[in-house]
Amino acid sequence: MIYTSALIRAQMTAMLAMTKHRKKKVPVIAHNEDERSIKWSKIFSDQTSSEVIPVVTSWQLNERMYGELQGLNKKETAKKYGKQKVHEWRRSYDIPPPNGENLAMCAERAVAYFEEEIEPQLLAGKNILIAAHGNSLRSIIMHLDKLTSQEVIDLELATGIPMLYIAKDGKILRRGSPTCPRTVSVYAFSNDLADYRQQLESDEE
């Protein structure tokens, strides 16, 4: 399954990533807004079902809401509010910009959604892709890696480079970097995962 935010740029990231997937499955957004949406989007063909991968969109995975800073570039924001105040809003954990969210508020919604909707899927053995945004992903990583509020502020995520977590013995464990808050994230296989992928590819030939 794929989980992504309600924002088009995150959905496009998920779609682009799936063009490189070895199974070539087609991402299809799962419409579950109401009973009619569920009924109209139901697939009755087993073959078609095997060729698609469901995409669930959720506003809880949206980027942090910057309130009155939204739409302003860095120069405009600094001119209006001052560099020091802007730096404080952007890099603090619990100080929100005017009418916006701080990272703690973003984490509250993103982590709650992860625990309620995504974590059970992982623990049930499903392969999950989450395509979201810097702050919502940092929030989930903070939860999984048990980072402090200071460590998550310092955490830098490289755009477009996936991070791999696996579910094992009821826990979700990171496989790959960052090994410390400022290390750029890298997609890394363990030997077992590399062997598993090689076996899958052999079976397909």
Side-chain angles (χ1 to χ4, degrees), residues 4-68:
T4 186
S5 80
L7 303 178
I8 294 294
R9 61 185 186 268
Q11 295 171 24
M12 288 178 68
T13 298
M15 303 303 171
L16 287 169
M18 287 306 295
T19 65
K20 302 298 182 185
H21 193 272
R22 59 188 171 75
K23 294 244 181 194
K24 304 298 180 189
K25 289 194 173 186
V26 178
V28 175
I29 292 180
H31 292 281
N32 54 7
E33 299 86 16
D34 52 43
E35 206 170 302
R36 182 174 64 181
S37 299
I38 294 168
K39 184 177 179 181
W40 284 16
S41 61
K42 185 172 175 61
I43 295 172
F44 291 93
S45 163
D46 290 339
Q47 181 179 342
T48 303
S49 293
S50 70
E51 294 170 352
V52 303
I53 184 164
V55 180
V56 178
T57 63
S58 171
W59 71 267
Q60 288 96 326
L61 296 175
N62 280 12
E63 178 57 286
R64 174 181 165 192
M65 205 279 275
Y66 281 94
E68 293 177 22

Side-chain angles (χ1 to χ4, degrees), residues 19 49 57 62 67 76 89 92 97 103-104 107 109-110 123 147 173 189 192 198:
T19 65
S49 293
T57 63
N62 280 12
E76 290 172 319
W89 287 330
S92 70
L103 185 53
R109 60 173 162 83
L123 295 176
L147 301 180
L173 309 168
F189 283 118
D192 287 345
Q198 189 174 18

Side-chain angles (χ1 to χ4, degrees), residues 64 69 81 85-92 95-98:
R64 174 181 165 192
L69 307 189
Y81 296 103
K85 181 57 72 176
V86 173
H87 179 78
E88 184 179 77
W89 287 330
R90 290 181 60 85
R91 301 308 293 179
S92 70
I95 302 173

Side-chain angles (χ1 to χ4, degrees), residues 93-107:
Y93 182 72
D94 55 7
I95 302 173
N99 296 312
E101 286 184 307
N102 54 36
L103 185 53
M105 295 158 76
C106 178

